């Protein structure tokens, strides 16, 4: 069988309302966030996003990686400060630490794609100055344990919520549990602007520094003052940092904001559909004895736009044959640890200043962990086709099995 069960790379169309605003901008040429005296699309997006998440402040920037970098810089970490993060994340995350002149320290990740709390605890020593929690592919690590451990040591937590927009933990939005939360608007995320990112925080010192370093030169920071905010904490913070910080110019353009804003009202529906699609495919895959889909944690309500599963009882050669068979059945499955130069395999991060660490548990998980996109717009028929193609690929390699009726 060779067919195309569903394109997993087609995004949902951008809502039509974006067109009118973009047309107007093309006419006026007003694409820069700081030209208008007030209410530029980027400013409105920041207000809407902060209110959606329940955060005091939001800063829209060019990418989630930029948001992570600015978060670390705004924490005022000294050169060579050590930042603890999971060994399973995207290469841009340790890269943001290196950009900030800090040193990434990696901890083990378990078979369920979440941080191994025992290893995290043992590495959270006096030499760690900050923590980045990558909720990789939207899988939330045990934030109760992580926040308790970090609060006890007064270590700031930056949440890399690139894939977690709409995910909650005990009902609270992921990205609002740590000191700063960073989100991505890159195409393969819940909200798609091609590129883009945003950080949220309740801390005026952090946001004031991040705003200035993102490129709010001269007194453009005034355009970040919340409407009707007469409390002076934020204004004082801006005044204190005036002219003191380098400008990295990682701003978002009005065009991106115009693409993002009309998608915000669709988020709740996308989260609902994404979860329904994921759980439907997960239940089908769970029937196959060579596939296991790890459970979520109890406190977590997920918002997936992709599915991850582990192959069971397959050798490396069989795992590669499985990925090849899935492609022949029309579904692209990446095995994080077996595709060449994969950016999510820590042993490919040759830029790490202290070399590649030894993380046997994470390495073994990555060599059987599979990843398939599952955009929220898929129909049930397409979901059936995708699940069948994956199961058929496993059967091609391991032989058929009797399905439970
Ligand atoms: C876990 C994770 N964090 C951060 C990023 C970076 O996001 P961006 O492409 O917006 O910089 C990505 C990119 O996909 C990611 O997968």
């Amino acid at each position: 069988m060779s067919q195309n069960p569903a394109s997993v790379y087609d995004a949902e169309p951008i809502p039509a309302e974006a067109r009118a605003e973009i047309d107007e901008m093309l006419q006026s040429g007003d694409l820069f966030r700081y030209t208008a005296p007030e209410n530029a699309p980027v400013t409105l997006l920041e207000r809407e996003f902060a209110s959606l998440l329940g955060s005091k402040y939001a800063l829209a920037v060019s990418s989630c990686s930029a948001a992570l970098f600015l978060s670390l810089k705004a924490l005022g970490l000294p050169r060579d400060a050590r930042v603890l993060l999971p060994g399973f994340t995207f290469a841009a995350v340790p890269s943001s630490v290196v950009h900030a002149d800090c040193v990434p320290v990696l901890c083990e990740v378990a078979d369920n794609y979440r941080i191994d709390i025992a290893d995290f605890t043992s590495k959270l020593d006096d030499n760690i100055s900050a923590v980045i929690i990558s909720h990789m592919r939207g899988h939330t690590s045990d934030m109760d344990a992580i926040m308790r451990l970090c609060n006890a040591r007064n270590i700031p937590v930056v949440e890399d919520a690139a894939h977690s927009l709409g995910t909650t933990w005990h009902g609270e939005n992921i990205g609002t549990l740590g000191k700063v939360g960073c989100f991505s608007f890159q195409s393969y995320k819940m909200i798609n602007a091609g590129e883009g990112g945003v950080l949220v925080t309740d801390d005026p010192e952090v946001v004031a520094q991040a705003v200035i370093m993102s490129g709010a030169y001269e007194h453009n920071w005034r355009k970040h003052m919340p409407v009707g905010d007469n409390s002076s904490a934020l204004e004082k913070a801006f005044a204190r940092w005036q002219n003191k910080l380098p400008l990295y110019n990682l701003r978002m353009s009005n065009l991106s904001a115009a693409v993002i804003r009309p998608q915000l009202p669709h988020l709740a529906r996308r989260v609902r559909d994404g979860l329904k699609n994921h759980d439907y495919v997960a239940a089908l895959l769970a029937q196959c004895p060579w596939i296991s889909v790890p459970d979520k944690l109890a406190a977590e309500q997920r918002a997936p736009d992709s599915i991850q599963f582990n192959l069971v009882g397959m050798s490396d050669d069989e795992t590669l044959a499985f990925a090849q068979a899935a492609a022949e059945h029309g579904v692209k499955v990446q095995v994080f640890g077996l595709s060449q130069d994969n950016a999510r395999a820590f042993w490919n991060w040759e830029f790490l200043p202290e070399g590649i660490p030894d993380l046997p548990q994470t390495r073994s998980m990555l060599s059987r962990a599979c990843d398939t996109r599952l955009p929220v717009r898929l129909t049930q028929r397409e979901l059936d086709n995708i699940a069948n193609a994956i199961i058929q690929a496993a059967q091609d390699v391991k032989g058929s099995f009797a399905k439970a009726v």
Side-chain angles (χ1 to χ4, degrees):
M1 176 173 78
S2 179
Q3 58 175 42
N4 191 7
S7 169
V8 293
Y9 290 97
D10 294 351
E12 200 172 272
I14 305 301
E17 306 93 276
R19 294 243 171 92
E21 183 152 30
I22 290 170
D23 275 350
E24 217 172 282
M25 275 187 222
L26 296 183
Q27 198 57 41
S28 67
D30 183 8
L31 308 182
F32 180 50
R33 68 165 297 166
Y34 292 129
T35 305
E38 58 187 9
N39 294 341
V42 184
T43 307
L44 296 178
L45 166 65
E46 287 167 348
R47 276 187 212 140
E48 290 159 0
F49 197 85
S51 142
L52 183 75
L53 269 282
S55 296
K56 274 196 185 152
Y57 312 111
L59 169 65
V61 288
S62 54
S63 67
C64 179
S65 306
L68 290 167
F69 163 75
L70 288 169
S71 302
L72 294 174
K73 295 299 288 181
L75 291 176
L77 303 175
R79 181 174 284 275
D80 293 333
R82 301 174 75 74
V83 178
L84 185 58
L85 66 149
F88 175 40
T89 185
F90 185 59
V93 179
S95 305
S96 72
V97 179
V98 172
H99 281 308
D101 295 321
C102 297
V103 178
V105 178
L106 308 184
C107 72
E108 290 271 31
V109 172
D111 273 359
N112 65 357
Y113 322 125
R114 290 157 175 93
I115 287 172
D116 177 321
I117 296 296
D119 194 54
F120 179 85
T121 308
S122 75
K123 288 179 173 152
L124 192 73
D125 60 19
D126 290 346
N127 297 319
I128 298 295
S129 302
V131 160
I132 296 182
I133 301 299
S134 267
H135 302 294
M136 187 53 173
R137 289 293 194 266
H139 297 285
T140 310
S141 289
D142 181 349
M143 289 306 287
D144 294 347
I146 289 168
M147 292 312 298
R148 197 171 49 244
L149 289 160
C150 292
N151 287 341
R153 289 178 167 267
N154 222 359
I155 295 176
V157 172
V158 175
E159 284 183 85
D160 167 17
H163 294 274
S164 294
L165 185 53
T167 306
T168 59
W169 178 260
H170 293 301
E172 281 186 69
N173 286 312
I174 285 299
T176 65
L177 308 177
K179 197 176 216 14
V180 197
C182 302
F183 297 85
S184 175
F185 299 123
Q186 182 263 348
S187 282
Y188 302 154
K189 307 295 188 298
M190 268 295 164
I191 292 192
N192 160 30
E195 300 281 3
V198 62
L199 68 81
V200 295
T201 182
D202 286 344
D203 188 323
E205 282 297 316
V206 167
V207 81
Q209 294 174 75
V211 161
I212 291 174
M213 288 187 281
S214 76
Y217 58 93
E218 297 166 355
H219 296 139
N220 279 313
W221 54 260
R222 288 195 194 285
K223 294 179 182 169
H224 291 261
M225 291 299 293
V227 182
D229 181 348
N230 300 321
S231 77
S232 51
L234 182 59
E235 191 160 9
K236 277 194 183 135
F238 278 129
R240 195 166 32 255
W241 290 106
Q242 178 80 54
N243 298 340
K244 303 275 192 310
L245 297 167
L247 306 177
Y248 296 100
N249 283 11
L250 299 166
R251 295 174 298 250
M252 177 180 276
S253 118
N254 280 340
L255 270 178
S256 300
V259 170
I260 293 165
R261 290 183 59 221
Q263 294 182 61
L264 296 181
H266 294 266
L267 179 63
R269 187 222 357 122
R270 290 182 185 177
V271 167
R272 204 176 51 236
D273 291 352
L275 185 58
K276 194 164 72 158
N277 290 355
H278 174 278
D279 290 354
Y280 181 76
V281 173
L284 292 174
L285 296 185
Q287 296 183 26
C288 176
W290 302 291
I291 293 176
S292 117
V293 188
D295 285 335
K296 69 176 191 71
L297 300 189
E300 181 187 12
Q301 179 74 9
R302 303 203 59 227
D305 55 14
S306 63
I307 187 163
Q308 290 70 45
F309 54 90
N310 296 326
L311 297 177
V312 181
M314 288 199 201
S315 64
D316 277 1
D317 284 348
E318 287 173 325
T319 302
L320 288 169
F322 162 82
Q324 176 63 33
E328 281 160 16
H329 291 300
V331 173
K332 184 166 178 348
V333 174
Q334 72 166 327
V335 182
F336 293 114
L338 292 187
S339 72
Q340 201 185 3
D341 296 330
N342 194 296
R344 298 144 204 94
F346 64 87
W347 52 90
N348 291 325
W349 304 341
E350 293 176 18
F351 55 85
L352 290 176
E354 295 186 344
I356 311 291
D358 191 22
L359 298 173
Q361 180 179 225
T362 309
R363 187 183 279 268
S364 126
M365 176 274 283
L366 290 171
S367 68
R368 295 294 176 272
C370 300
D371 177 52
T372 298
R373 284 187 42 70
L374 220 49
V376 300
R377 56 161 188 77
L378 294 178
T379 61
Q380 180 160 337
R381 193 195 166 97
E382 290 172 313
L383 298 170
D384 282 330
N385 289 342
I386 289 172
N388 287 337
I390 292 172
I391 292 172
Q392 188 56 54
Q395 293 190 119
D396 289 354
V397 174
K398 297 296 285 186
S400 54
F401 64 95
K403 278 191 193 168
V405 196

